[in-house]
Amino acid sequence: MEANKKTILVTGGNAGIGFALCRQLVADHNCKVYMGARSEERGNKAIQDIKAKHPNADIQLLVIDVSDDKSVADAAECMKGIKLYALVNNAGVGLKTGDGSEDGLLATNFYGPKRVTDAFVGQVNDRIVNVSSGVASMWHQTKTAETRALFTNPATTWEQLCAEVEKWKMDKGEGPATGVYGLSKAGLNLITIHAAAAYPNLKVTALSPGFINTNMTAGFGAKLTPEEGTVSTRKCLFEDVISGAYYGSDGLRGPLTMTRDPGMPEYQGEDETTIERATYNKPKE
């Protein structure tokens, strides 16, 4: 049984969707989990909560702040020599749960997954899963066709993407979902495309967990539980998926620049500029 275990690192694993995923992985999928957490105290408490219900859970804490170069480097040193089946870049903040700044949010949501992937990719054998958000497509819908193309084109360089992110970070959009948070996730989706091309031996995907009731969404009317927010993550971890693709909260593939709600047809990789308006919400010109 031990030899069949998949070893998975989940950043931001001590609360919300990350905590629910860690619990499911050890309880239902026979995995060994490294729970990434910024706080050693909160991380240990989360592990105790899981072990209280699952005493045999194979789970360990990894102290890691994805927004900090040294913390990520120290965590990678702690994990040196440990082979991972998968890395789940789950850690994320909103303006309510981070330090309240645009730079702080981008440091975690946008630069963080790239920083962690660069540090750990040599140890990953199979999958990298980036937890993005459906608000990325909402952000796209407020932008020009040129901007949408830059954020979805595999030929866009990392330097070009960073410059564009920094240019847009103070833009408030048409609401909180389409401001810097949406920007961070739109950027993360292109990071996913870049990583899929850079690491053809791995399956690298991005996904939306859905509108889940967590600390980040408190007060906004989210009704789905964190446990219900892991559907697409588990699909991307264990099922046949397309590297570089984006998956919706129901585990079906979605377009990057238009919203696709559960129950709508699965995106098949069509040119997003030619999809019928009746099928997906067409972006504004």
Side-chain angles (χ1 to χ4, degrees), residues 90-229:
N90 169 78
V93 297
L95 288 176
K96 289 181 63 176
T97 54
D99 65 7
S101 72
E102 286 79 11
D103 286 335
L105 187 147
L106 289 173
T108 297
N109 294 9
F110 173 67
Y111 294 106
K114 175 72 161 55
R115 183 180 289 114
V116 175
T117 295
D118 288 349
F120 285 91
V121 68
Q123 298 169 235
V124 179
N125 292 329
D126 204 289
R127 314 225 173 173
I128 297 175
V129 180
N130 294 325
V131 179
S132 183
S133 172
V135 301
S137 61
M138 297 168 64
W139 185 87
H140 275 292
Q141 289 173 54
T142 68
K143 303 300 177 285
T144 66
E146 180 182 14
T147 298
R148 293 197 301 272
L150 187 147
F151 273 83
T152 56
N153 188 346
T156 300
T157 66
W158 170 243
E159 292 73 22
Q160 288 172 326
L161 177 59
C162 290
E164 197 72 7
V165 165
E166 292 299 325
K167 182 182 86 173
W168 283 106
K169 71 181 181 182
M170 299 305 293
D171 178 66
K172 302 303 181 185
E174 297 183 356
T178 55
V180 66
Y181 183 80
L183 166 67
S184 71
K185 297 302 188 177
L188 177 56
N189 289 345
L190 185 52
I191 288 173
T192 301
I193 293 171
H194 282 168
Y199 310 115
N201 58 314
L202 303 176
K203 288 191 175 181
V204 187
T205 51
L207 60 90
S208 167
F211 191 33
I212 308 302
N213 185 15
T214 65
N215 291 336
M216 189 186 301
T217 59
F220 289 103
K223 300 188 185 309
L224 296 177
T225 67
E227 287 71 21
E228 292 173 300

